[in-house]
């Protein structure tokens, strides 16, 4: 059966590959297989962010809950299959939980799980793209709001878009709202590269899966084995970049357009920005949020920041 193809996918791929520096927006990495591979990445020994953030939440939850939520409604941006949410709900005992996710399947599954496990919390799932305007359910009118944006997903947005997104969260949640956000810290390059180019090769599969998706959904003929995964640290811009590098001269067709890559040329597929303490706070301030408190692990690998709109 032919899959439904999102016209925005076709446009992003064809336009992105036609740019002088070929790139494809990272959101297209997450088809069903890509999401499964990302779940696998979060369990890899070298991928520290998920493990560190979860441990941090567990260790500091009492303190975080006391400052962040008093009978509030928790609004989670991009709830996915998050395992961090139960920790929050257990400790904060919010009046309501509003998971927002673009994937209806994930959303219904996670909302159902929360509903069964926390019968006293009203769950109001919203199927939406949180980067676009979102109406919150009227059932939470009048409740204080806490936005939750874990996982350092903010790092996948270039600072210009990250500040737009933070301002958008402020518009959705309203003045007086709070935001608990996870941000990955700058650290030695070897550790960053190991996290994004693991010895098990899972991140390579995740990155290359994008080419398989293009072949399948856009009936293209990219020779996937002629591309290799590469993770690079861009020191000037403070980010890890994922690229797909042509191993040899490669030609392929997408949508009756021909594309040619010389050996060594790349397709840029993702950015993952890392922030120092001041950079993180400045980003929040530029996005309309005043930092109130910050928690980090013993190695200062990862930070959770509570901010107020
Ligand atoms: C989803 N996001 C926060 C991950 C990250 O670390 O930037 C995506 C990822 N890409 C490769 N590994 C993980």
């Amino acid at each position: 059966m032919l899959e439904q193809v999102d016209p925005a996918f076709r446009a992003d791929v064809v336009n992105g590959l036609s740019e002088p520096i070929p790139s494809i927006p990272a959101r297209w990495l997450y088809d069903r297989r890509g999401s499964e591979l990302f779940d696998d990445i979060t369990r890899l020994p070298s991928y520290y962010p998920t493990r560190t953030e979860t441990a941090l939440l567990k260790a500091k939850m009492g303190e975080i809950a006391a400052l962040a939520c008093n009978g509030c409604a928790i609004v989670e941006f991009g709830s996915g299959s998050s395992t961090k949410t139960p920790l929050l709900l257990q400790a904060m005992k919010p009046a309501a939980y509003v998971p927002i996710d673009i994937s209806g399947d994930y959303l219904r599954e996670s909302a159902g799980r929360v509903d069964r496990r926390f019968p006293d919390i009203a769950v109001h799932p919203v199927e939406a793209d949180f980067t676009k305007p979102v109406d919150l359910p009227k059932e939470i009118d009048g409740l204080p709001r806490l936005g939750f944006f874990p996982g350092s997903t903010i790092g996948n947005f270039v600072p210009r878009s990250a500040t737009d997104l933070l301002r958008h969260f402020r518009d959705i949640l309203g003045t007086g709202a709070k935001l608990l956000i996870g941000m990955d810290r700058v650290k030695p390059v070897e550790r960053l590269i190991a996290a994004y180019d693991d010895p098990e090769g899972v991140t390579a599969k995740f990155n290359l899966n994008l080419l398989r998706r293009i072949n399948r959904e856009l009936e293209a003929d990219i020779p996937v084995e002629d591309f290799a995964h590469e993770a690079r640290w861009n020191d000037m811009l403070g980010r890890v970049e994922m690229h797909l590098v042509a191993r040899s001269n490669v030609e392929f067709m997408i949508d009756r357009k021909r594309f040619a890559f010389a050996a060594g040329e790349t397709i840029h597929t993702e950015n993952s920005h890392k922030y120092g303490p001041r950079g993180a706070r400045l980003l929040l301030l530029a996005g309309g949020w005043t930092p109130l408190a910050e928690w980090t692990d013993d190695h200062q690998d990862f930070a959770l920041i509570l901010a107020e709109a």
Side-chain angles (χ1 to χ4, degrees):
M1 199 177 68
L2 268 181
E3 277 182 71
Q4 278 279 15
V5 178
D6 187 333
F9 178 46
R10 188 184 301 275
D12 277 356
V13 169
V14 171
N15 296 338
L17 293 182
S18 310
E19 293 289 326
I21 299 175
S23 66
I24 297 173
R27 68 186 178 112
W28 301 115
L29 290 163
Y30 299 88
D31 62 351
R32 177 179 273 278
R33 180 70 185 132
S35 301
E36 284 167 5
L37 285 164
F38 177 63
D39 265 2
D40 294 345
I41 288 173
T42 63
R43 286 186 286 273
L44 290 170
S46 61
Y47 190 76
Y48 60 84
T50 312
R51 216 179 30 250
T52 311
E53 186 183 43
T54 307
L56 192 56
L57 270 172
K58 278 191 188 152
K60 309 287 183 184
M61 189 46 94
E63 221 177 290
I64 299 174
L67 288 174
C69 175
N70 183 3
C72 74
I74 295 179
V75 177
E76 183 168 6
F77 297 105
S79 56
S81 61
S82 175
T83 50
K84 292 156 204 157
T85 314
L87 293 173
L88 219 66
L89 300 180
Q90 181 81 47
M92 295 188 178
K93 303 203 172 29
Y97 170 58
V98 181
I100 305 177
D101 203 283
I102 199 165
S103 155
D105 289 348
Y106 261 142
L107 186 69
R108 277 181 288 278
E109 260 171 52
S110 63
R113 244 181 286 129
V114 168
D115 222 11
R116 285 189 293 280
R117 183 152 167 211
F118 301 97
D120 295 338
I121 301 174
V123 182
H124 305 290
V126 176
E127 184 173 345
D129 175 351
F130 63 71
T131 65
K132 307 263 158 63
V134 176
D135 285 325
L136 292 180
K138 60 180 179 335
E139 288 87 343
I140 69 162
D141 282 356
L143 292 176
R145 285 145 189 212
L146 171 67
F148 184 44
F149 195 43
S152 196
T153 304
I154 193 72
N156 296 131
F157 294 80
V158 294
R160 193 185 311 125
S161 314
T163 47
D164 285 349
L165 184 64
L166 290 167
R167 285 179 179 275
H168 176 61
F169 286 171
R170 193 169 179 272
D171 291 343
I172 295 175
L173 296 169
T175 36
K178 291 188 174 124
L179 177 70
L180 182 63
I181 186 166
M183 291 202 203
D184 196 10
R185 285 275 177 94
V186 180
K187 53 183 64 60
V189 176
E190 313 77 65
R191 287 198 57 214
L192 287 169
I193 297 301
Y196 290 84
D197 191 5
D198 56 282
E200 293 87 347
V202 183
T203 310
K205 274 194 199 149
F206 171 67
N207 199 6
L208 287 160
N209 177 61
L210 179 60
L211 300 183
R212 298 188 198 286
R213 178 179 188 183
I214 295 170
N215 278 349
R216 191 180 63 244
E217 292 188 25
L218 305 182
E219 292 171 74
D221 61 356
I222 306 174
V224 178
E225 55 296 338
D226 289 347
F227 282 88
H229 164 69
E230 191 178 300
R232 296 181 185 167
W233 171 246
N234 182 330
D235 197 51
M236 182 58 90
L237 300 179
R239 68 193 193 195
V240 176
E241 297 177 356
M242 288 206 315
H243 291 259
L244 290 163
V245 190
R247 295 177 192 268
S248 53
N249 296 344
V250 187
E251 284 189 16
F252 52 85
M253 302 284 290
I254 306 175
D255 226 13
R256 273 166 283 158
K257 273 192 90 172
R258 199 177 71 87
F259 294 91
F261 281 76
E265 282 185 335
T266 84
I267 306 171
H268 184 176
T269 52
E270 190 184 55
N271 293 312
S272 198
H273 294 79
K274 309 300 169 190
Y275 291 99
R278 286 183 205 286
R281 290 179 210 152
L282 194 57
L283 187 78
L284 282 163
L285 284 164
W289 293 88
T290 306
L292 296 175
E294 182 175 283
W295 297 269
T296 61
D297 54 292
D298 291 347
H299 303 286
Q300 271 131 55
D301 279 347
F302 199 94
L304 275 167
I305 305 177
L306 180 69
E308 191 172 38

